[in-house]
Amino acid sequence: MDVLEDIFDTFALRGALYFRTDFSAPWAVTVPDYEQVARFHLVVQGRCHVRTGVDETVELGPGDLILIPRGQSHELSDQPGRDAPPLETVLQDAGYEDDNVLVVGSGNPRASTQMVCGHFSFRQGADHPILRALPNFIVASAADRAKEPLFDETLRLLTRRVFQDAGRSASAVRRMSEVIFIELLRLGIGADEHLAKVLGGLRDPQIGKALELIHRCPGNPWTVATLAAEVGMSRSSFADQFRQTVGLGPMHYLSDWRLQKALSLLTDSQLPVQQVAALAGYRSPAAFTRAFSDKFGVAPTQMRRQSA
């Protein structure tokens, strides 16, 4: 089982292209806050400065991609320090009509900044050590892409699809963008120390195997001892290494993951709550309801009504 894919399948990862740009200098725009999304900007031509915080500005060139995982507001501009109006204002002033091309300015088209901009959404309530470890931004540079030919080719294919006919290729673009998000994490491109440690757990022969067992059969009556035995470690060594790598103890991770799977089943299926509880490893529906309510703030039946 691919643990990373299982995580984001459970989180209902969905990619979406919201436009491509043709910006002629001078230009700037402020992208607003948006919960439960990770945004990305891929520079195809020209340059772009991205300001993600008071003292955080990144310059992107052709082939560079930036991922802003937490949906926080950020500024895009041709030069740092420009007054950046809200995205809504820029769209209105440009007469944007949802045709997937946002044109700003009327300069030399060969000197304009052309980008592919999109986002990834997650299920409300999605939670995992990987999500918590994501930094404010991740940059995949053209140099990074050159080291990963398959990742590079996927980005090139995405660009070709978008610039040739994004409307008719919407489904393919969405799927490719989802692959790009997962591969960006799998390759560890741009990962800081905290995220690299968590992702390293997936590749660790023993911790990775334990995670695979949990994800393959979350309803099994796992204990620290049984997981340790499966991966050939002592109970104490396994528990310590798991906690140091993943950031949670094995049983804490298992409990959290069971609730994420239960949330997915409640919102994506019509299975009775009692059956969802059993599949999530709870022998008692009452115990499941208490744990679910503590985690998400609502009872399972109420969550199902809200999702409907």
Side-chain angles (χ1 to χ4, degrees):
M1 164 176 279
D2 189 307
V3 173
L4 200 56
E5 287 190 12
D6 184 46
I7 291 169
F8 288 106
D9 282 346
T10 302
F11 290 167
L13 174 69
R14 295 291 182 270
L17 170 72
Y18 51 88
F19 50 67
R20 66 181 178 90
T21 75
D22 191 346
F23 290 163
S24 297
W27 62 269
V29 58
T30 297
V31 182
D33 285 313
Y34 197 175
E35 292 184 0
Q36 295 301 116
V37 303
R39 288 193 175 93
F40 73 90
H41 305 287
L42 170 62
V43 179
V44 178
Q45 173 184 290
R47 307 200 73 78
C48 173
H49 290 80
V50 185
R51 184 171 181 263
T52 61
V54 176
D55 297 315
E56 290 181 330
T57 301
V58 182
E59 183 178 2
L60 306 178
D64 294 345
L65 176 145
I66 187 168
L67 174 72
I68 301 176
R70 306 182 191 285
Q72 69 267 36
S73 177
H74 54 281
E75 297 176 3
L76 308 174
S77 62
D78 66 312
Q79 293 290 339
R82 292 207 188 278
D83 182 33
L87 175 60
E88 184 178 348
T89 300
V90 173
L91 293 174
Q92 184 175 354
D93 291 347
Y96 181 72
E97 297 181 353
D98 197 26
D99 59 358
N100 288 328
V101 183
L102 174 59
V103 179
V104 174
S106 55
N108 181 356
R110 295 185 178 181
S112 65
T113 297
Q114 298 184 8
M115 296 186 290
V116 175
C117 301
H119 71 246
F120 311 96
S121 61
F122 308 105
R123 187 190 313 281
Q124 192 69 33
D127 185 32
H128 190 272
I130 287 177
L131 292 184
R132 295 176 220 152
L134 288 170
N136 287 337
F137 62 88
I138 296 174
V139 173
S141 67
D144 293 324
R145 292 173 53 174
K147 298 174 186 175
E148 303 293 344
L150 292 179
F151 178 69
D152 179 64
E153 183 55 36
T154 305
L155 284 170
R156 290 178 185 276
L157 181 57
L158 172 71
T159 302
R160 288 198 295 270
R161 287 283 190 176
V162 169
F163 276 80
Q164 287 174 3
D165 194 343
R168 289 194 300 177
S169 305
S171 179
V173 168
R174 182 172 66 249
R175 294 302 180 197
M176 278 187 285
S177 66
E178 292 163 9
V179 169
I180 287 167
F181 179 87
I182 293 173
E183 287 303 303
L184 187 64
L185 296 183
R186 193 195 311 280
L187 296 171
I189 295 175
D192 65 4
E193 183 178 354
H194 189 192
L195 178 59
K197 179 183 286 189
V198 178
L199 293 173
L202 301 178
R203 296 186 286 269
D204 182 272
Q206 293 166 307
I207 301 305
K209 182 179 178 181
L211 288 167
E212 186 177 332
L213 290 169
I214 289 172
H215 281 258
R216 182 184 294 123
C217 303
N220 275 14
W222 298 113
T223 65
V224 175
T226 58
L227 285 169
E230 287 283 351
V231 302
M233 297 180 70
S234 71
R235 184 183 183 281
S236 59
S237 295
F238 168 68
D240 288 344
Q241 187 173 332
F242 193 103
R243 185 178 294 104
Q244 290 173 9
T245 303
V246 180
L248 299 173
M251 293 300 97
H252 190 169
Y253 183 94
L254 174 62
S255 177
D256 279 358
W257 186 245
R258 284 172 168 172
L259 290 173
Q260 289 295 327
K261 296 299 286 187
L263 176 64
S264 173
L265 290 170
L266 285 169
T267 55
D268 294 344
S269 78
Q270 296 302 314
L271 294 175
V273 172
Q274 187 170 353
Q275 188 174 353
V276 171
L279 290 171
Y282 288 85
R283 297 181 180 179
S284 162
F288 169 63
T289 296
R290 286 194 298 272
F292 191 93
S293 300
D294 287 345
K295 176 70 175 179
F296 300 109
V298 296
T301 51
Q302 185 178 350
M303 177 64 75
R304 169 158 282 169
R305 285 196 298 269
Q306 289 178 355
S307 64

